[in-house]
Amino acid sequence: PPPRPSPAGGEGAKQGERGPKGQYNARPKSRNFADARAVEMKQQILPLLRQALATVLAGSAVPAPETISLEPTKDSKHGDFATNLALTLAKPLGQPPRKVAEALVQALPPAPAIAKVEIAGPGFINFFLAPAAFQAVVAEILDAGAAYGRNNAGGGRKAMVEFVSANPTGPLHVGHGRGAAVGDSLARLLAAAGWDVSREFYYNDAGVQIANLALSVQARIKGIEPETPGWPENGYRGDYIKDVAQAYLAGESVKADDQDVTGAKDADDLDAIRRFAVAYLRREQDLDLKAFAVNFDVYYLESSLYTEGKVEQTVEALVKSGHTFEQDGALWLRSTDFGDDKDRVMRKSEGGYTYFVPDVAYHVTKWQRGFVRMVNEQGADHHGTIARVRAGLQALEVGIPKGWPEYVLHQMATVMRGGEEVKISKRAGSYVTLRDLIDEVGRDATRYFLVARKSDSQLVFDIDLARAQTNDNPVYYIQYAHARVAAVLRQLAERGLPVWDAATGKAALAQLTDPAELALVAQMAKYPELVANAAELLEPHLVAQYLRELAAAFHGFYNTQPMLVDDAGVRNARLALALAAQQVIRNGLDLIGVSAPEKM
């Protein structure tokens, strides 16, 4: 479906609220912060409405509203755009809404871009655009190219997206894959919205799970198998543990990001086994992510928070702020002062910090590194950490806004084949890996399917559908639209027709008057606002859904309006429209990390 409309409408909606010291707060008053100029279609109407509004309000004490709601209609029978401006003015003016609507319509200046205006229902004003308004969008897309749809809402300010952040205890599973697809798409969206984006992976290279990993590898090294005496109680059972053990005994060298580790071959050196296993699995995860076309700018080690004293420094700062207290031998954070449902233990009575303390220390480093906007893409099981991490950051009283960091939580995915759930992987032993999916259906289909539903919704990944080369497969359907245009250009040369050029194509745009042509343009015109909304709301699934609707509009045009006709003017205009559609599809696919093939 098209992007959800903003409650506050299009014109003049704010680009997000600013917290203390100009920092970014994730919850703007308006869900639609795109400037009217970002959408060519609205640009045709909003200035006219402003002029009509000034005429109607002249001589009255009623102030002009800061924003005017102007949204695409759900049914083209009711025009292309509609406004409820008359309804919002009726009470202040003390007049019936339809009377206000009539006055506004009468005061509208004439404009060639508007074919007609109608009043509907209690006082809605519906605008029907003339073909010229649509034709201008095609020219705009052709001129902008890859920049079409991008904006500068971020103003070059620093933003970080932390995502995946899987413990290096095994291969990445489908849930990690969903986090990777969503997180990388969020980073691409924020960059398209003018943010200076950094991608970060947080490695938990310490703690109980890493200890269990080391014990599992050591058991394999000593010839102990799962289900036999001596196997660790919480050991990892997948075949990959055997691979790690064999590599360690062979003295292999492993390079993972910032470290090189060589297997010591010593079955009793548990610390050496731990270091090697972590490096080995980090490398494996990195290879999986590269196969998924996901790259990171920073890999941050949890252990560094301790070795560099950042956890202790954070605890000292919290104590100094006066928001902690001692009780029953434990150190507590009075997190209820900052919206948490109960106070939280920071340091246990038997010693050692609870897990949210290093999380707070880690986020302090993010703040110190200057990230105005901070997005954590994590699994739904992290929901309970949100309030306590934010409470800890607020308790430090260093100017961090209340809504910082922002969280995008994803639900797990169920993998289906032949109508039955796929539960395990031979390599992992207990779950389906990301590499399994990529090998089954390819990178593009995997990325699209994992991002196509809202992150907090349950996801069913149908392998059979993802592999299908039919219109039922949304990835195939969208990519096929892009490839069809490339095929038409090849046919142009094969038939010896004149090579299409932008100047000739734009000069012929007045030929675009058919409803199928105009419907396609109307879909393309929504793209800039779609990108702005998806970036602001942190909802990349909106892009995936939009691309399917755009592909439908293109295929509808393609199937009814032949392009390689004898009439040069019509041919050039339709080729211009097709190339514009191809450009928007390519731009949108790039935002979710899916390729745009020239051939299928």
Side-chain angles (χ1 to χ4, degrees):
R4 290 174 290 174
S6 157
E11 184 189 25
K14 297 182 180 179
Q15 297 185 9
E17 299 301 298
R18 298 295 179 266
K21 299 183 180 179
Q23 299 302 330
Y24 190 83
N25 184 329
R27 298 190 179 276
K29 292 181 179 178
S30 170
R31 293 180 60 179
N32 168 15
F33 69 104
D35 186 277
R37 290 184 299 276
V39 181
E40 178 70 22
M41 311 300 273
K42 286 189 176 182
Q43 186 184 22
Q44 308 292 327
I45 303 172
L46 285 168
L48 305 176
L49 271 174
R50 279 288 173 196
Q51 292 182 50
L53 180 63
T55 300
V56 170
L57 295 181
S60 76
V62 177
E66 291 185 6
T67 62
I68 295 177
S69 175
L70 182 66
E71 300 299 337
T73 59
K74 294 180 180 180
D75 188 339
S76 60
K77 294 178 181 178
H78 301 145
D80 299 293
F81 286 90
T83 181
N84 64 350
L85 181 59
L87 281 75
T88 63
L89 290 175
K91 186 175 180 180
L93 288 173
Q95 298 178 15
R98 283 192 69 93
K99 184 175 181 181
V100 177
E102 291 168 359
L104 285 168
V105 171
Q106 188 175 0
L108 281 170
I114 299 177
K116 66 176 180 177
V117 182
E118 291 182 349
I119 299 171
F124 291 99
I125 302 175
N126 296 338
F127 294 86
F128 295 76
L129 296 177
F134 294 88
Q135 295 154 7
V137 175
V138 178
E140 179 188 350
I141 296 169
L142 294 174
D143 289 339
Y148 181 70
R150 304 180 77 88
N151 63 75
N152 195 37
R157 291 171 295 164
K158 293 180 66 175
M160 181 209 288
V161 181
E162 183 215 325
F163 59 110
V164 183
S165 295
N167 293 335
T169 54
L172 297 178
H173 55 59
V174 176
H176 295 135
R178 191 175 191 189
V182 173
D184 186 58
S185 297
L186 287 170
R188 291 167 181 258
L189 273 168
L190 290 174
W195 292 88
D196 178 10
V197 180
S198 178
R199 295 165 168 84
E200 186 149 311
F201 191 123
Y202 178 66
Y203 266 113
N204 176 356
D205 59 339
V208 174
Q209 292 176 317
I210 301 301
N212 287 335
L213 170 67
L215 290 171
S216 304
V217 175
Q218 185 182 50
R220 286 286 195 179
I221 290 171
K222 294 184 175 183
I224 301 172
E225 301 284 334
E227 312 301 340
T228 62
W231 183 258
E233 181 180 358
N234 297 309
Y236 294 95
R237 298 166 178 264
D239 285 355
Y240 68 93
I241 295 295
K242 186 186 297 184
D243 296 338
V244 178
Q246 291 173 349
Y248 176 82
L249 283 175
E252 289 185 15
S253 293
V254 174
K255 180 175 178 58
D257 186 48
D258 58 348
Q259 59 182 283
D260 292 289
V261 181
T262 300
K265 305 182 184 181
D266 185 348
D268 296 316
D269 191 342
L270 190 60
D271 189 54
I273 293 172
R274 178 189 60 79
R275 291 195 305 272
F276 182 85
V278 168
Y280 186 100
L281 289 171
R282 284 184 59 197
R283 182 187 66 180
E284 291 298 299
Q285 290 181 355
D286 290 346
L287 291 174
D288 286 346
L289 290 168
K290 287 177 182 176
F292 206 38
V294 172
N295 298 294
F296 289 89
D297 301 299
V298 176
Y299 291 89
Y300 199 100
L301 297 182
E302 181 187 13
S303 59
S304 69
L305 295 170
Y306 295 93
T307 59
E308 297 174 10
K310 296 186 183 300
V311 173
E312 285 293 338
Q313 292 168 14
T314 300
V315 172
E316 291 171 4
L318 287 169
V319 172
K320 186 177 180 180
S321 73
H323 294 292
T324 64
F325 63 95
E326 298 267 357
Q327 181 176 305
D328 301 327
L331 178 65
W332 295 68
L333 174 67
R334 195 173 285 105
S335 54
T336 51
D337 290 347
F338 303 96
D340 201 358
D341 59 348
K342 62 181 179 179
D343 295 331
R344 304 290 176 174
V345 174
M346 293 173 56
R347 186 177 60 239
K348 294 173 282 189
S349 57
E350 65 271 22
Y353 295 114
T354 55
Y355 66 91
F356 92 93
V357 176
D359 282 350
V360 175
Y362 174 44
H363 282 84
V364 170
T365 73
K366 296 179 180 181
W367 178 256
Q368 292 170 340
R369 284 181 276 163
F371 292 107
V372 175
R373 192 169 191 186
M374 175 63 243
V375 180
N376 290 338
E377 202 295 331
Q378 298 172 325
D381 57 329
H382 287 79
H383 183 271
T385 69
I386 297 175
R388 63 199 72 170
V389 169
R390 285 177 172 170
L393 294 171
Q394 290 297 297
L396 289 168
E397 298 180 344
V398 292
I400 298 176
K402 290 182 179 180
W404 193 100
E406 299 172 70
Y407 286 84
V408 174
L409 303 182
H410 68 264
Q411 295 287 342
M412 294 296 288
T414 301
V415 181
M416 305 290 289
R417 182 197 286 117
E420 296 183 355
E421 182 177 352
V422 181
K423 293 185 177 181
I424 64 172
S425 161
K426 184 176 185 296
R427 179 173 174 238
S430 60
Y431 55 83
V432 179
T433 69
L434 174 60
R435 184 61 65 90
D436 291 333
L437 275 190
I438 297 173
D439 290 345
E440 282 274 1
V441 305
R443 186 183 73 199
D444 286 343
T446 302
R447 287 194 64 134
Y448 183 93
F449 273 68
L450 289 177
V451 81
R453 284 184 61 83
K454 198 172 188 296
S455 301
D456 59 6
S457 299
Q458 293 289 337
L459 174 68
V460 174
F461 193 110
D462 188 332
I463 288 177
D464 297 324
L465 178 60
R467 296 184 63 176
Q469 293 189 356
T470 68
N471 289 345
D472 292 331
N473 180 351
V475 189
Y476 179 86
Y477 189 61
I478 295 164
Q479 290 181 321
Y480 185 41
H482 185 276
R484 267 185 152 178
V485 180
V488 169
L489 292 180
R490 291 192 295 270
Q491 293 171 24
L492 187 71
E494 292 168 1
R495 295 187 186 184
L497 293 170
V499 176
W500 184 91
D501 65 82
T504 302
K506 287 188 288 186
L509 290 177
Q511 304 284 345
L512 299 177
T513 58
D514 185 86
E517 297 167 345
L518 301 184
L520 175 56
V521 181
Q523 279 293 331
M524 296 190 296
K526 297 174 183 177
Y527 181 70
E529 191 167 37
L530 178 280
V531 174
N533 281 335
E536 181 59 23
L537 300 173
L538 301 177
E539 294 184 350
H541 73 281
L542 295 176
V543 178
Q545 294 174 358
Y546 166 82
L547 286 170
R548 190 168 186 174
E549 293 299 317
L550 177 59
F554 172 79
H555 290 305
F557 154 73
Y558 182 94
N559 292 331
T560 60
Q561 304 300 114
M563 280 180 264
L564 302 185
V565 295
D566 292 334
D567 188 312
V570 173
R571 182 175 67 243
N572 286 328
R574 290 177 180 169
L575 285 171
L577 176 56
L579 285 165
Q582 185 189 49
Q583 182 70 63
V584 179
I585 291 171
R586 184 161 59 246
N587 292 358
L589 287 172
D590 182 67
L591 290 180
I592 55 175
V594 177
S595 71
E598 299 287 315
K599 294 182 179 180
M600 296 286 286

